């Protein structure tokens, strides 16, 4: 039975591989992270199982009791589960690569030498030099602490006891890989002399590290990286890469042999001759050495045999050791002196083989392999899920290698994952430790923001938060916000009906308006603006698969979407500090292909977006003025015998209502033919002031947009909008399309609609949430705006308002000219929209 299952583990992947080789260039298959993973899992594990079953590997040599040797049935069960995990990884990889063209990469663009920057290259070499210097210093310090006694428990304790010092030289190995990955990214660029020198130094120091710390992975990682660079640069050398990858299963055994030979030759053990030493180390334990990196198969067999059905489904320790493996073991004992040894891989080993701990510290090899690690923590279902995600991760790395459009940082991470595949298969969650260490030289050599952005992009796409992009042109599904403004409903109504999945979204809706209670309640700051949150919305369940979700002021967790914003701070619920905090994450989402378009309400919004997120995001942004249902009115000839002003806003104070009342009181004294209609929710303490000013009429803000247009905008002469708290000002746009002169404040996007002295007057506000196109200290906090208005002197602003109102009142020819200019500006804005 075991032989049949082992054969199945080999034949099924080989069949899939054969089909893929017929459709892809051979060098891509050779350097595929997934197929390397497959080779380790579906070839090495069955070989190890068959060796154990044939008594070529003596379990007792690992510290177990001989009677604990797994049976053929146990090993076969483990291999069946291994094949199932491989199937989960294959499915995950397919979900990533199904949209990736697998044609020869020669037809695709690659990072070119022209893209390389001298600053990037210089920073890379400086970082490498610092890591090399640190590595040399640590090696000298550790020189007297070299482990020369391979005495089982003493060896394990010595390595654990080295603590963080043992990890520091590993940073240098990562620096070598980062340099190699950077050279791979610029594959069309020849390697320079300085880089050959650096690589040589790196290889020499790596050998030193490997010998002094008795670790195989350092030199293996450097050699594999160099081979990958060779194959990428010279594709005809793919047989060399294939030979190296295929021989890696044997190479680990050879390196283990050399390591133990070194240990024993420097220990208290004595041998009559070198021949006796070699026979003791190599011949006796040949099979164990050949498969020394794949102990996981017998551990998995024992786990499946020993665990109850409940433990198989839910895990043994519910993730305690899994979390420890994932990162807690990085905490050195100098910080956590009581840190237990029996955690992580040790906890798993202790549960599986308690007999190995009879005499104290375990002498067996750890870790358990990812299959045991994932299953031990949360059960077999969880292990299958994580392996599916691992398959997606490997697919993303493969795409990075051959798409020709990956950044150097993406190539570096993909190279790291490919080279450390042994650790992924052997260690499971313990690889997180290596990732955390790997990030240190990455930050030094590429910068924190680049590393964070790439890591987030990788994790988000692996977990499906940033799912595959859909082609532009598919139907749009409008996000069903509970609160839709008129302009948002215009977007739905003006979209071609055949391109909309839910055109009935606006049925029976009248447009959201601020109620009197909301407008007049005591000012306060929303909890959404206090907390540093990303305005991330879950993709609606009712959105058909493949449709593009159109969302206002936010981002969608999964699938393609279009984002519509009035300013970029909408992405963090108008919290500017949160935007700075999450900028790498937001950049990763906005730059991803599934973000198909960013529609900005104004040029100011698009400029702010580019300033905050850079050219890649800016190139996705278009200006879409909310002109949906508006038509450009004919210019009006001013009546010299009257001048009707109108103020329209539900929020009286923060839109400059009080300053306007005080200014109009002075204007109407000189120009009694002027009137002022105010459509608003006026506070009680200002109602008396309004009642005592001649020609002022207060209208409750309860009209629809159509009624506002018919009753007011089409029957007045000038709109006055002295706001302190706007990003756009829809009423300004509506007045513009009615060909009205406009008096407004120079706040964010209003300057695009009102040109000072041309179609109206643009005044400097006494207080504002904006400092040009940047948030001021009052941004998003109505309470602070109200507080500021109660403390500052607005006399200067009122004087400017008086001057503007008086000019419009006494100069009908200016109003006529301004009306003509407003209609032309409105026509130009309408032309910009598709």
């Amino acid at each position: 039975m075991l032989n049949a299952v082992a054969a199945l583990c080999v034949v099924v992947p080989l069949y899939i591989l054969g089909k893929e080789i017929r459709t892809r260039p051979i060098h891509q298959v050779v350097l595929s992270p997934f197929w390397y993973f497959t080779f380790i899992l579906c070839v090495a594990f069955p070989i190890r199982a068959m060796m154990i079953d044939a008594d070529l590997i003596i379990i007792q040599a690992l510290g177990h009791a001989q009677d604990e040797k797994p049976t053929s049935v146990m090993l076969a069960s483990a291999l069946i589960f291994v094949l199932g995990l491989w199937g989960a990884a294959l499915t995950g990889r397919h979900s990533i690569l199904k949209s990736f063209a697998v044609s020869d990469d020669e037809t695709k663009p690659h990072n070119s030498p022209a893209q390389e920057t001298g600053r990037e290259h210089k920073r890379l070499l400086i970082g490498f030099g610092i890591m090399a210097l640190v590595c040399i210093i640590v090696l000298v310090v550790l020189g007297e602490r070299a482990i020369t006694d391979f005495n089982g428990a003493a060896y394990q304790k010595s390595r654990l006891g080295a603590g963080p010092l043992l990890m520091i030289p590993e940073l240098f190995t990562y620096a070598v890989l980062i340099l190699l990955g950077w050279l791979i990214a610029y594959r069309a660029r020849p390697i320079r002399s300085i880089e050959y020198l650096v690589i040589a130094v790196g290889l020499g120091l790596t050998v030193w590290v490997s010998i002094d710390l008795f670790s195989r992975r350092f030199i293996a990682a450097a050699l594999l990286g160099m081979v990958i660079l060779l194959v990428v640069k010279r594709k005809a050398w793919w047989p060399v890469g294939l030979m190296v990858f295929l021989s890696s299963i044997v190479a680990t055994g050879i390196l283990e042999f050399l390591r133990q030979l070194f240990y024993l030759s420097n220990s208290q053990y004595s041998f009559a001759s070198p021949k006796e030493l070699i026979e003791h180390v190599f011949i006796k334990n040949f099979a164990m050495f050949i498969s020394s990196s794949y102990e996981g198969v017998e551990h998995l067999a024992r786990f499946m045999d020993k665990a109850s059905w409940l433990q198989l489904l839910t895990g043994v320790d519910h993730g305690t050791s899994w979390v420890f493996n994932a990162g807690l073991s990085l905490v050195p004992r100098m910080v956590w002196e009581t840190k237990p040894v029996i955690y992580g891989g040790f906890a798993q080993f202790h549960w599986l083989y308690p007999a190995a701990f009879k005499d104290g510290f375990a002498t067996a090899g750890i870790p358990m392999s990812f299959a045991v690690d994932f299953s031990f923590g949360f059960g077999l279902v969880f292990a299958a899920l994580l392996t599916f995600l691992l398959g997606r991760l490997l697919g993303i790395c493969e795409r990075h290698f051959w798409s020709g459009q990956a950044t150097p940082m993406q190539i570096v991470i993909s190279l790291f994952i490919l080279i450390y595949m042994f650790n992924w298969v052997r260690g499971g969650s313990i690889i997180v430790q290596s990732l955390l260490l790997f990030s240190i030289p990455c930050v030094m050599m590429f910068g924190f923001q680049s590393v964070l952005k790439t890591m987030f992009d990788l994790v988000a796409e692996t977990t499906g938060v940033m799912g595959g992009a859909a082609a532009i042109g598919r139907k749009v599904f409008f996000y069903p916000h509970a609160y839709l403004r008129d302009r948002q409903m215009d977007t739905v109504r003006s979209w071609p009906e055949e391109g909309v999945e839910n055109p009935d979204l606006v049925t029976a809706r009248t447009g959201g308006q601020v109620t009197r209670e909301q407008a007049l309640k005591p000012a306060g700051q929303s909890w959404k603006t206090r907390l540093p949150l990303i305005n991330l919305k879950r993709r609606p369940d009712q959105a058909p698969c493949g449709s593009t979700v159109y969302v206002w002021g936010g981002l969608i967790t999964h699938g393609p979407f279009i984002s519509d914003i009035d300013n970029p701070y909408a992405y963090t619920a108008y919290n500017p500090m949160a935007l700075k905090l999450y900028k790498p994450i937001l950049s990763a989402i906005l730059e991803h292909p599934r973000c198909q378009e960013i529609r900005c309400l104004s040029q100011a919004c698009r400029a702010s977006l580019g300033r905050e997120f850079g050219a890649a995001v800016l190139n996705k942004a278009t200006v879409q003025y909310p002109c949906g249902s508006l038509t450009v009115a004919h210019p009006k000839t001013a009546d010299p015998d009257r001048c009707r002003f109108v103020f329209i806003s539900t929020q009286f104070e923060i839109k400059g209502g009080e300053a306007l009342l005080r200014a109009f009181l002075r204007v109407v004294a000189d120009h009694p033919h002027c009137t002022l209609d105010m459509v608003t929710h006026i506070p009680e303490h200002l109602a008396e002031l309004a009642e005592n000013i001649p020609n002022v009429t207060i209208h409750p803000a309860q009209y629809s947009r159509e009624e506002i247009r018919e009753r007011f905008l089409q029957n007045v002469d000038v709109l006055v909008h002295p706001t302190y708290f706007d990003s756009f000002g829809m009423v300004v746009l509506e007045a513009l399309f009615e060909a009205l002169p406009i008096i407004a404040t120079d706040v964010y996007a209003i300057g695009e609609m009102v040109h000072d002295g041309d179609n109206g007057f643009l005044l400097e506000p006494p207080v504002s949430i904006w400092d040009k196109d940047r948030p001021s200290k009052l941004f998003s906090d109505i309470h602070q705006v109200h507080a500021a208005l109660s403390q500052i002197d607005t006399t200067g602003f009122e004087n400017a308002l008086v001057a503007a109102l008086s000019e419009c009142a006494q100069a009908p020819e200016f109003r006529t000219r301004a009306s003509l200019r407003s209609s032309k500006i409105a026509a130009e804005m309408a032309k910009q929209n598709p």
Side-chain angles (χ1 to χ4, degrees), residues 1-3 5-6 9 49 71-82 301:
M1 179 181 177
L2 177 60
N3 293 340
V5 173
C9 286
T71 65
S72 298
V73 175
M74 291 167 59
L75 291 169
S77 300
L79 290 183
I80 290 173
F81 181 57
V82 163

Side-chain angles (χ1 to χ4, degrees), residues 478 483-494 506 510-513 550-553 564-567 570 574 599-601 624-630 705 727-730 733-734:
F478 288 99
Y483 182 82
L484 283 180
R485 293 180 177 272
D486 290 315
R487 70 171 180 85
Q488 295 168 336
M489 293 195 295
D490 279 347
T491 303
V492 181
R493 291 172 179 142
S494 62
V506 296
T510 58
Q513 299 292 339
Y550 191 112
V551 62
W552 288 275
D564 188 317
I565 55 173
D566 58 342
N567 66 72
Y574 302 101
R599 294 163 70 97
C600 300
L601 254 65
Q624 302 288 332
Y625 290 113
C627 305
S629 63
L630 302 178
R705 179 176 54 172
S727 292
F728 187 80
M730 274 300 299
L733 182 73
E734 291 167 352

Side-chain angles (χ1 to χ4, degrees), residues 400 538 545 620 695 709 731:
H400 285 166
R538 183 175 176 270
C545 181
K620 284 190 175 184
N695 298 350
R709 186 181 303 164
V731 69

Side-chain angles (χ1 to χ4, degrees), residues 287-301:
M288 187 184 72
F289 290 150
I290 291 299
S291 61
S292 61
S293 291
Y294 313 105
E295 301 99 328
V297 66
E298 67 262 30
H299 302 326
L300 180 60

Side-chain angles (χ1 to χ4, degrees), residues 123 174 212 309 420 430 448 526 558 726 765 768:
R123 182 170 185 168
Y174 298 142
D212 209 38
W309 281 107
Y420 276 75
I430 203 170
F448 177 76
S526 167
H558 181 76
D726 267 311
S768 174

Side-chain angles (χ1 to χ4, degrees), residues 36 40 170 173-174 177 217-218 220-222 224 414-427 431 434 438:
Y36 190 32
I40 297 172
E170 193 164 351
T173 304
Y174 298 142
L177 295 183
R217 67 181 181 273
F218 295 109
L224 278 176
S414 301
L415 178 68
F416 167 80
I417 290 173
L418 174 58
I419 287 176
Y420 276 75
M421 192 60 62
F422 280 110
N423 294 62
W424 285 92
V425 175
R426 295 181 63 213
I431 192 66
S434 298
F438 171 69

Side-chain angles (χ1 to χ4, degrees), residues 242-254:
L242 179 63
M243 180 181 65
V244 170
F245 280 106
L246 290 178
S247 64
S248 61
I249 188 172
V250 180
T252 56
I254 294 174

